[in-house]
Amino acid sequence: MNSLNQAINNLKNENYGNHNLPIATEQLSATLLGVNISQGLLPILTSTLSNRLTDLKNILNTLPLGLIGAILTSVLSSVDGLITSLGNPNSVISTNLVSASILGSTNVSIPTFVTSPAGLAQDYTAAIRGGIVQTDDLTIQLLSNFGGNTNIYFSAGSLAMKSELLPGNLNFGTHPIQTKADETWNAYVGGNSANPLQTGTIRIDDTRTTAKAWQLKVAQSNNWTSGQKNLSNARLDIALGALSTNFQNYSSIANQMIHMIPNEQLVLVNLSNTTAPGYVEMPLNQFQLFVPKNTPKQIGNYKTTLQWTISNTP
């Protein structure tokens, strides 16, 4: 009886292990994928159960018939019938076995490659719904009971300038007042000529995939002033380096010295007719303040402000 109990326990508590089933995915509709899991599961289930049933049958054949002969004969007949049915992949028992397995305790993983949609004008979150719908022979609706949603976030990209790469303060140092000669003062780190020249970098990243056209402009917002005093005729000059970019349709005024005029915008980069993402980078190699000799001068700490602007163009 111990061997019989063991055979029954083996049948009841079968562990089918983990299996990798390379089954092709079918595109059933725009939003529905289908996989014929039965093709892969059926041989695993039927062969294993057939072996367990055969073990049980062999043990039953060794038992004396005695008073339970009729019962044993009936059980043996049922076991033989099950073994025969499992050998037929189209039998009702085989089909139901796969259906019960899928709906009972089968985890299905379908590797999926997701491509970001092109031309997004704004960020988009796609809800990917997943679950198993068994369609072989059961009329059951599981669409309202899917296992859950997985949200995938698609960024529309952005247009941004790295303002932290621009110098926050230009210090041209302290100088005695004189009116006999023109003067050109360089901006040094900390305002000390013993330090390196103050430099900076223009860096713009445009990761959008929509049609785009924009301009980068710089303007000096006002004259050099110290309270009510005005350093008229003083001019800020900026030495631009070589432009680096992966855009195709653009123009720029790189590799030259530009002269700032108060309240006038100067276009540094002009981008047009492109949808590809990309970047623009241009070094600011030097900042100079030119003060003509005939400029009226008074003691003071003179300041002005530079405004960097990215503006969309038609």
Side-chain angles (χ1 to χ4, degrees):
M1 292 300 293
N2 288 335
S3 58
L4 176 60
N5 290 332
Q6 184 62 51
I8 295 175
N9 286 332
N10 291 341
L11 182 61
K12 290 170 58 179
N13 303 311
E14 181 62 58
N15 183 355
Y16 295 95
N18 297 320
H19 299 273
N20 183 19
L21 306 177
I23 305 173
T25 303
E26 300 178 50
Q27 186 78 43
L28 302 180
S29 71
T31 59
L32 183 63
L33 298 176
V35 178
N36 193 344
I37 301 175
S38 300
Q39 292 179 347
L41 282 180
L42 187 60
I44 298 171
L45 298 175
T46 55
S47 61
T48 303
L49 287 180
S50 293
N51 292 336
R52 292 302 187 193
L53 288 170
T54 300
D55 292 340
L56 178 60
K57 174 186 174 182
N58 292 336
I59 293 173
L60 290 173
N61 281 328
T62 64
L63 296 178
L65 294 180
L67 296 176
I68 59 171
I71 298 176
L72 285 177
T73 301
S74 176
V75 171
L76 283 169
S77 177
S78 298
V79 171
D80 283 335
L82 284 172
I83 294 173
T84 301
S85 295
L86 290 173
N88 178 11
N90 298 318
S91 68
V92 174
I93 289 178
S94 295
T95 304
N96 287 343
L97 179 63
V98 173
S99 299
S101 173
I102 293 175
L103 297 177
S105 182
T106 296
N107 296 321
V108 179
S109 174
I110 303 177
T112 305
F113 179 77
V114 179
T115 302
S116 174
L120 286 179
Q122 59 186 11
D123 294 349
Y124 174 70
T125 300
I128 309 300
R129 304 185 66 189
I132 299 175
V133 180
Q134 170 66 9
T135 60
D136 284 348
D137 62 345
L138 299 179
T139 55
I140 183 171
Q141 176 58 260
L142 296 182
L143 290 175
S144 61
N145 295 309
F146 273 16
N149 291 346
T150 298
N151 292 328
I152 299 180
Y153 173 77
F154 296 98
S155 172
S158 62
L159 171 62
M161 184 174 182
K162 293 185 177 295
S163 58
E164 67 272 15
L165 299 180
L166 299 172
N169 180 56
L170 297 174
N171 192 330
F172 295 93
T174 301
H175 306 276
I177 294 176
Q178 63 85 31
T179 57
K180 294 182 180 180
D182 294 339
E183 296 179 281
T184 299
W185 303 328
N186 291 319
Y188 293 95
V189 175
N192 188 337
S193 60
N195 294 332
L197 288 170
Q198 178 68 67
T199 61
T201 301
I202 294 171
R203 173 74 190 209
I204 300 173
D205 292 295
D206 194 341
T207 58
R208 301 170 299 169
T209 57
T210 54
K212 49 185 172 284
W214 48 259
Q215 291 181 334
L216 170 65
K217 305 174 184 177
V218 63
Q220 181 179 325
S221 61
N222 54 277
N223 286 326
W224 292 86
T225 60
S226 177
Q228 298 299 317
K229 294 174 284 189
N230 192 321
L231 194 63
S232 60
N233 301 327
R235 187 189 71 214
L236 175 63
D237 298 334
I238 305 174
L240 304 177
L243 182 109
S244 174
T245 182
N246 59 352
F247 287 123
Q248 300 296 321
N249 301 313
Y250 71 93
S251 61
S252 74
I253 56 171
N255 283 320
Q256 61 180 287
M257 183 76 78
I258 59 174
H259 309 297
M260 304 304 302
I261 300 175
N263 301 311
E264 289 189 14
Q265 285 188 323
L266 187 63
V267 178
L268 302 182
V269 181
N270 185 70
L271 179 72
S272 62
N273 191 30
T274 184
T275 57
Y279 75 95
V280 167
E281 187 168 296
M282 182 164 56
L284 307 172
N285 293 328
Q286 191 175 15
F287 297 87
Q288 293 182 334
L289 183 60
F290 172 71
V291 183
K293 60 185 177 181
N294 58 352
T295 301
K297 301 172 183 176
Q298 300 180 64
I299 294 175
N301 185 13
Y302 291 86
K303 299 179 180 180
T304 189
T305 302
L306 288 181
Q307 294 178 333
W308 306 85
T309 305
I310 303 176
S311 59
N312 288 318
T313 59

